[in-house]
Amino acid sequence: MVMRAAVLREFDAPLTVEEIDQPTPERGQVLVRIVASGVNPLDTKIQAGKAAHARVELPAVLGLDLAGVVAAVGAEVTSFEPGDEVYGLCGGVGDLQGSLAEYAAVDARLLARKPKALSMREAAALPLAAVTSWEGLVDRAGVHAGQKVLVHGGAGGVGYVGVQLAQARGAEAYATGGPSSMRVIESLGAVPIDYTTSKVEEYVERYTGGEGFDIVVDNVGGATLDASFAAVRTYHGHVVSALGWGSHSLAPLSFRGATYSGVFTLLPMLTGRGREHHGDILREIATLADAAALRPRLDPREFTLDTVMDAHRLVADGTAEGKVIVDVAVPMAAGSPVDRLNGCRRSVAAP
């Protein structure tokens, strides 16, 4: 059987929609009929050949985030069955097929059931942002009630989720952004800080009495990471960053007696180790979403596999107003003929 997919054959070249072989789930895998694929800035960097840390083997099907329906399960998979609605951070790096295709065979450990309160499009907007935020705020920094958390880039994909996660854990959230981001940050109930008009020492003094924030989350990198070292709380503060490469002086952090952690969300996908934690995180995120404690922000424009490069350009030029989603397939009602057929393929033996 074949399926349609957007394929990258050369770096810095457009994705081309082609018919390729539909995968068969191996041991421990789930075959997902993909309904929606989230587009991240990292996807566009991979396509351009500018993400050595997120290596792919060409030709490749890109797309990190997905939401869809289980079509079949491989041997030894007991956590899912055909018809389950799922979402996850599942491919598009290493040798893992991405989500810009009609089907993907996914390691079951990377998946969780889709939040009932969210549409497929909304669910596809969450995985990378949610896993990154959770690993930083919860796993590394141990965010809890009573803390003051500063999120840099609070209106961006990861920052928008991070603000809500900090609030859901009982913390008081502050977020930086440019002038056009202030209203978005305010809509979350966070304190907005315009980094173009406020110096670090000014907002640290204003909001913390000069002590610094308990947790500072860097979603921007570069000079913003340096600013994070100067904004964190003396003695007990913690900085986390998903963009901690480059050369940075640790002196401002050391002089405050604070600590730092890096987050590399793709590591379980590239190494195969620790993948079950991604699934665990997404189950926690689904609980928050179903409790109305967390929602994504979507760009209203619609794209399909045939217009995927328009979606990539929108993300790459930085003009998207929320997460950009590619609609891969129309959601199918439970009990449809295809779902009943897939139910007959519940278990597929490993080769």
Side-chain angles (χ1 to χ4, degrees):
M1 297 180 65
V2 296
M3 65 177 182
R4 298 179 77 236
V7 180
L8 178 67
R9 294 199 169 275
E10 295 181 27
F11 290 118
D12 205 23
L15 304 177
T16 58
V17 179
E18 305 174 14
E19 285 193 343
I20 63 174
D21 290 338
Q22 179 180 309
T24 298
E26 299 179 0
R27 180 179 289 108
Q29 290 185 330
V30 172
L31 181 66
V32 179
R33 181 175 59 80
I34 299 168
V35 175
S37 171
V39 182
N40 298 281
L42 179 56
D43 293 304
T44 67
K45 293 175 183 176
I46 293 172
Q47 181 256 329
K50 298 178 179 179
H53 66 291
R55 62 184 184 277
V56 295
E57 300 176 5
L58 300 181
V61 176
L62 302 187
L64 297 162
D65 295 327
L66 68 78
V69 180
V70 174
V73 300
E76 300 181 8
V77 173
T78 59
S79 51
F80 300 102
E81 60 183 23
D84 287 343
E85 295 185 334
V86 295
Y87 76 133
L89 172 61
C90 298
V93 294
D95 60 354
L96 302 179
Q97 183 211 300
S99 56
L100 290 173
E102 292 177 323
Y103 289 86
V106 176
D107 188 326
R109 295 174 295 173
L110 295 171
L111 290 169
R113 284 181 173 80
K114 179 185 77 67
K116 293 182 175 65
L118 302 186
S119 68
M120 287 286 186
R121 287 172 56 81
E122 290 172 322
L126 282 177
L128 177 63
V131 173
T132 301
S133 294
W134 187 282
E135 288 191 346
L137 279 164
V138 181
D139 293 344
R140 307 292 197 279
V143 62
H144 57 77
Q147 292 183 312
K148 290 186 176 182
V149 176
L150 174 64
V151 178
H152 287 301
V158 178
Y160 192 84
V161 173
V163 166
Q164 295 176 83
L165 179 57
Q167 292 169 324
R169 306 280 291 192
E172 185 178 349
Y174 301 76
T176 64
S180 63
S181 300
M182 295 296 97
R183 183 175 298 179
V184 173
I185 293 169
E186 285 180 336
S187 72
L188 292 173
V191 177
I193 299 172
D194 186 344
Y195 74 89
T196 67
T197 59
S198 298
K199 295 180 180 179
V200 176
E201 58 269 22
E202 293 174 344
Y203 61 72
V204 168
E205 179 62 35
R206 179 178 180 182
Y207 296 116
T208 73
E211 283 296 309
F213 296 89
D214 297 289
I215 301 172
V216 182
V217 181
D218 165 39
N219 295 310
V220 182
T224 301
L225 180 53
D226 295 320
S228 300
F229 294 160
V232 72
R233 185 178 180 85
T234 303
Y235 292 124
H236 305 295
H238 194 82
V239 175
V240 292
S241 177
L243 294 168
W245 47 75
S247 298
H248 299 270
S249 171
L250 295 178
L253 185 72
S254 300
F255 291 153
R256 300 184 79 87
T259 53
Y260 167 81
S261 292
V263 175
F264 186 28
T265 314
L266 305 181
L267 195 60
M269 301 164 70
L270 292 169
T271 66
R273 297 171 57 188
R275 290 181 178 180
E276 57 279 350
H277 189 48
H278 276 201
D280 292 340
I281 292 171
L282 291 173
R283 281 184 281 277
E284 295 281 359
I285 294 296
T287 298
L288 292 176
D290 286 335
L294 189 152
R295 295 189 74 87
R297 173 174 172 246
L298 302 189
D299 187 279
R301 284 159 282 198
E302 297 182 357
F303 302 92
T304 66
L305 284 181
D306 294 314
T307 57
V308 65
M309 287 309 301
D310 293 331
H312 267 231
R313 280 187 284 271
L314 180 61
V315 173
D317 67 20
T319 59
E321 299 174 2
K323 190 67 170 281
V324 173
I325 303 297
V326 174
D327 297 310
V328 179
V330 176
M332 197 173 296
S336 69
V338 172
D339 277 345
R340 289 195 294 271
L341 174 60
N342 285 337
C344 296
R345 297 190 295 165
R346 177 172 179 176
S347 181
V348 179

